[in-house]
Amino acid sequence: ALPGDSVLNLAGSYTDQDGATFTLAQRRGGPQLIGMFYSSCQLVCPMLIETGMAADRALSADERARLRVLLVSLDPEHDSVAALRHAAQAHRVDTPRWTLARTDPLTVRRLAAVLDVRYRQLENGEYNHTSALLLLDGEGRILARTERLSADPDSQFITAVRAALAAH
């Protein structure tokens, strides 16, 4: 059984950029970064992806190979599998280590609440939202969080990522 404070306890089915379905519990087993975004975002979400990529670049090849990244869409109405695949390709993320996923609106709301990601849809269809990457341990417990969006990674966050990888 997962620990009671594990993010992976959240029920719901997710679909990735390749059309494969999974549950969060199926991602148990190793440290991972998790965040929320939407593919049509033109400013903050690309910066969030770049922040994750900068964290990747700060790691050794061995560390990078053991870290997974999950970005879940805030906009399941528009982020189809094709839109997620396009976003993964456009940002040149390292699939399958990086997973861009969608789920139903209620599960989005529940995940956002657990991750403390606040969001709201604007009249023009865009979203105001918290931009954060969180580090989960192999059991899905939150170990660290960064809201620093930058190509220069947050050194404290990278230290936490390295520690989680070393402990696993």
Side-chain angles (χ1 to χ4, degrees):
L2 288 164
D5 59 348
S6 174
V7 172
L8 306 181
N9 280 318
L10 286 174
S13 178
Y14 295 76
T15 305
D16 72 14
Q17 71 272 359
D18 297 319
T21 59
F22 63 94
T23 64
L24 292 180
Q26 290 173 305
R27 294 185 59 88
R28 181 183 201 177
Q32 63 186 303
L33 303 182
I34 187 169
M36 300 187 80
F37 83 117
Y38 65 105
S39 71
S40 62
C41 178
Q42 298 297 310
L43 181 60
V44 174
C45 297
M47 290 172 58
L48 180 69
I49 293 169
E50 178 55 35
T51 298
M53 293 173 83
D56 255 3
R57 288 190 300 272
L59 303 173
S60 70
D62 177 61
E63 289 169 327
R64 194 174 322 133
R66 294 182 290 126
L67 182 69
R68 295 172 297 153
V69 179
L70 174 62
L71 297 177
V72 177
S73 174
L74 294 164
D75 187 12
E77 181 180 342
H78 297 103
D79 278 341
S80 64
V81 168
L84 295 173
R85 186 178 320 111
H86 176 74
Q89 292 168 346
H91 292 286
R92 296 185 175 109
V93 298
D94 179 11
T95 56
R97 269 190 338 101
W98 280 60
T99 301
L100 278 56
R102 65 184 308 277
T103 188
D104 63 89
L106 180 58
T107 304
V108 168
R109 179 112 2 239
R110 288 179 178 153
L111 179 62
V114 168
L115 299 179
D116 192 25
V117 171
R118 294 165 306 283
Y119 71 99
R120 67 182 175 100
Q121 190 170 21
L122 304 174
E123 288 181 18
N124 65 3
E126 294 189 21
Y127 287 83
N128 275 349
H129 62 91
T130 306
S131 299
L133 278 178
L134 292 88
L135 170 64
L136 305 181
D137 70 8
E139 297 295 300
R141 293 174 290 224
I142 297 171
L143 298 177
R145 173 189 187 98
T146 185
E147 293 186 23
R148 179 177 166 192
L149 300 182
S150 172
D152 179 29
D154 177 340
S155 61
Q156 289 181 314
F157 188 72
I158 297 302
T159 297
V161 171
R162 284 195 168 119
L165 290 166
H168 180 70

